[in-house]
Amino acid sequence: MISNQERYHQYMYSYPHKTAYRQLARPVPLAAVAAALADCSELYLHIPFCSSKCGFCNLFSVAGSTELLEDYIDAVAKQAESIAQVAVPRPKSFTVGGGTPLVLSAGQLERLFTSVQEAFSLDLKSLQSCIETSPKETSPEKLDILKAYQIQRISLGVQSFWPEELAALKRHHTLQDVERALGLLKNYHFPLLNLDLIYGIPGQTRETWHKSLDRAVDYAPEEIFIYPLYIREHKTLDRHQPEMAPFYELARDFLIANGYEQKSMRRFSKDGGKSASCGFENMLALGCGGRSYLGGFHTCVPYSDRSAYIRQSIADFIAAPEIRAFTHGIYLSQEEQSRRFVMKNLFVAAGVSLLEYAESFAAELLMDFPRLLEWEAAGYVYREEGKLKLTTAGMGLSDYLAPQLISQEVTRLSKKWCDPWRT
Ligand code: SF4
């Protein structure tokens, strides 16, 4: 029997986690990774600001500080220009995340997009694009800008349709904010609307969860993400439901019955799988706090979830945004890259191709990962058309299974990680 704690062990939205990154013995000059920069298929822009901090959130963002937004946009422009002197990426997709990107005003959004376009001689309209927003920050003026730039996917953090549950999450929007934002978004007809919901909230019942799902489906979004509530150290929210699996199962069955396909433990989609991926492709991150994945080299400013440290990082970035060399990150060995490959592919519906693995790593998947044979025997994975895929049971156990693929070295580094806020 797998306990709730084991089942909800860790969300592997990328690999390895930033806690495994370290100060590099020698800074990596931009020129040394010019080819990888030019090869980035994704461009990510991190906006580390929110109007308030949710009780569960350990993302690299701070509440308030909106007086810094103009300087932050200037800094992003300078950062992009400094990179463009060495390599000009030709991404296929463009994602703006955070934080809450729409804390930016309409004018600031436009200035930000223009700066990135000019620095890289890009036409953002030609890219697959995605932006996150929250109910309070969604306004017609901002949506006009997103329409003008032909942003395709808008993700709205609804979390719950119950005021008591929003209050429990310390999420500072109201049901009226949600309904107003959804009404607006539906009128703008973006190609893909995603709604985020959370289960496991203190006080949430099967009935309230069912009702939240029902309300979400009423708005006919192309995509719904359901997130289990994780409790993070130092955060103001200190508990969740003791058993979260029944909430997951209720949602999975409900969404499938309503025509959604399950794409991962969290993602349910009606769009035929066209959603932009984020977290595993070669990616250049602009701004402060986003990760760049440059082939086998991953880089980011030192991770912390403490506001004081994040504020200092943002201030440092604004003061000196030009990049000449990367100073913090991790090099992935071939073995770590193979782990990343399996995590990227196995924990989504498409599954991991045995042939693709063999071609990428000149090795056999099941020889490298005998644990997968154990999972097959346990009924968590199965083989189909040359791929290994999660069963229904395995999909629901993604946060239990995926962390088992973390290497000993990455586990060691993450355990020894010391919050830079303390140093
Ligand atoms: S969950 Fe989203 S809106 Fe809430 S603090 Fe974190 S980044 Fe900001």
Side-chain angles (χ1 to χ4, degrees):
M1 181 73 176
I2 299 164
S3 70
N4 189 71
Q5 201 180 358
E6 290 169 318
R7 183 175 176 126
Y8 295 98
H9 181 67
Q10 189 175 349
Y11 176 23
M12 303 293 298
Y13 57 87
S14 186
Y15 178 79
H17 189 261
K18 283 190 266 189
T19 47
Y21 295 15
R22 289 293 182 275
Q23 193 71 22
L24 299 166
R26 275 194 222 99
V28 177
L30 278 189
V33 286
L37 283 167
D39 196 38
C40 281
S41 59
E42 293 185 0
L43 183 61
Y44 174 70
L45 185 46
H46 192 71
I47 308 295
F49 301 95
C50 295
S51 54
S52 59
K53 195 77 181 170
C54 303
F56 54 89
C57 178
N58 69 345
L59 297 176
F60 196 91
S61 70
V62 289
S65 302
T66 46
E67 72 282 1
L68 296 177
L69 291 176
E70 291 291 345
D71 290 344
Y72 189 80
I73 296 167
D74 289 343
V76 170
K78 287 183 188 150
Q79 183 191 37
E81 284 159 16
S82 67
I83 293 168
Q85 286 172 13
V86 176
V88 179
R90 286 282 160 261
K92 295 190 181 72
S93 74
F94 175 58
T95 299
V96 194
T100 308
L102 291 201
V103 293
L104 298 174
S105 67
Q108 288 167 336
L109 276 172
E110 175 139 50
R111 198 157 77 76
L112 180 71
F113 291 163
T114 309
S115 304
V116 173
Q117 287 198 141
E118 285 176 359
F120 294 141
S121 305
L122 275 178
D123 178 9
L124 293 180
K125 295 190 197 82
S126 67
L127 306 184
Q128 198 180 19
S129 50
C130 169
I131 195 164
E132 296 165 4
T133 186
S134 70
K136 261 188 190 308
E137 276 71 35
T138 306
S139 73
E141 298 75 24
K142 296 176 193 178
L143 296 186
D144 283 343
I145 299 295
L146 302 187
K147 264 286 167 192
Y149 279 85
Q150 297 178 17
I151 301 291
Q152 289 147 22
R153 179 180 185 269
I154 309 270
S155 180
L156 181 71
V158 173
Q159 319 311 3
S160 168
F161 281 89
W162 293 88
E164 303 80 7
E165 293 174 11
L166 291 172
L169 291 170
K170 301 195 171 27
R171 181 90 185 175
H172 289 198
H173 66 244
T174 64
L175 209 47
Q176 290 71 31
D177 293 327
V178 170
E179 282 164 353
R180 189 192 53 79
L182 278 168
L184 262 179
L185 285 165
K186 290 305 287 182
N187 280 339
Y188 273 78
H189 302 289
F190 287 96
L192 198 159
L193 172 64
N194 170 71
L195 304 185
D196 288 344
L197 295 174
I198 292 180
Y199 62 92
I201 304 169
Q204 191 175 42
T205 64
R206 285 177 67 84
E207 288 67 36
T208 62
W209 177 227
H210 189 277
K211 188 80 181 161
S212 281
L213 291 161
D214 205 22
R215 293 284 294 278
V217 165
D218 276 350
Y219 286 97
E222 285 74 20
E223 199 171 76
I224 295 178
F225 268 71
I226 54 164
Y227 287 95
L229 179 60
Y230 271 86
I231 297 307
R232 324 278 187 185
E233 212 187 343
H234 313 306
K235 298 296 136 193
T236 49
L237 194 70
D238 59 2
R239 67 198 167 93
H240 52 43
Q241 293 284 340
E243 292 299 331
M244 298 202 289
F247 289 86
Y248 164 76
E249 283 156 13
L250 186 157
R252 181 198 61 206
D253 294 348
F254 177 84
L255 293 173
I256 290 172
N258 279 277
Y260 288 83
E261 277 180 63
Q262 183 165 22
K263 301 291 186 182
S264 72
M265 180 176 142
R266 288 167 173 77
R267 181 176 164 229
F268 293 79
S269 169
K270 272 187 174 173
D271 79 326
K274 285 179 285 168
S275 170
S277 69
C278 190
F280 278 105
E281 306 302 329
N282 271 4
M283 180 166 84
L284 169 63
L286 296 178
C288 177
R291 292 187 257 194
S292 290
Y293 307 124
L294 306 172
F297 173 58
H298 294 185
T299 179
C300 185
V301 293
Y303 171 70
S304 172
D305 63 356
R306 297 295 191 113
S307 292
Y309 179 79
I310 298 171
R311 272 182 223 288
Q312 187 57 54
S313 280
I314 294 169
D316 293 346
F317 169 67
I318 288 172
E322 293 90 354
I323 301 182
R324 289 182 187 80
F326 296 108
T327 57
H328 196 85
I330 189 169
Y331 281 100
L332 270 60
S333 64
Q334 175 90 348
E335 189 219 320
E336 295 293 9
Q337 291 188 48
S338 71
R339 290 177 187 277
R340 182 172 164 82
F341 181 92
V342 176
M343 289 191 213
K344 170 189 169 184
N345 293 294
L346 181 58
F347 294 94
V348 293
V352 57
S353 158
L354 279 77
L355 180 62
E356 220 181 297
Y357 183 89
E359 287 173 352
S360 302
F361 300 101
E364 280 187 40
L365 175 68
L366 296 171
M367 297 279 279
D368 282 359
F369 295 91
R371 189 183 293 268
L372 298 178
L373 292 170
E374 293 169 27
W375 291 357
E376 189 177 30
Y380 300 150
V381 298
Y382 68 103
R383 297 180 210 209
E384 186 179 73
E385 295 173 353
K387 287 186 168 184
L388 208 60
K389 297 182 176 183
L390 292 173
T391 60
T392 301
M395 187 73 88
L397 292 172
S398 294
D399 286 11
Y400 165 68
L401 299 174
Q404 295 177 34
L405 298 177
I406 301 173
S407 70
Q408 285 184 355
E409 175 60 5
V410 166
T411 302
R412 185 188 70 77
L413 286 166
S414 289
K415 276 193 177 149
K416 286 186 73 179
W417 170 74
C418 182
D419 192 328
W421 178 82
R422 296 170 202 267
T423 58

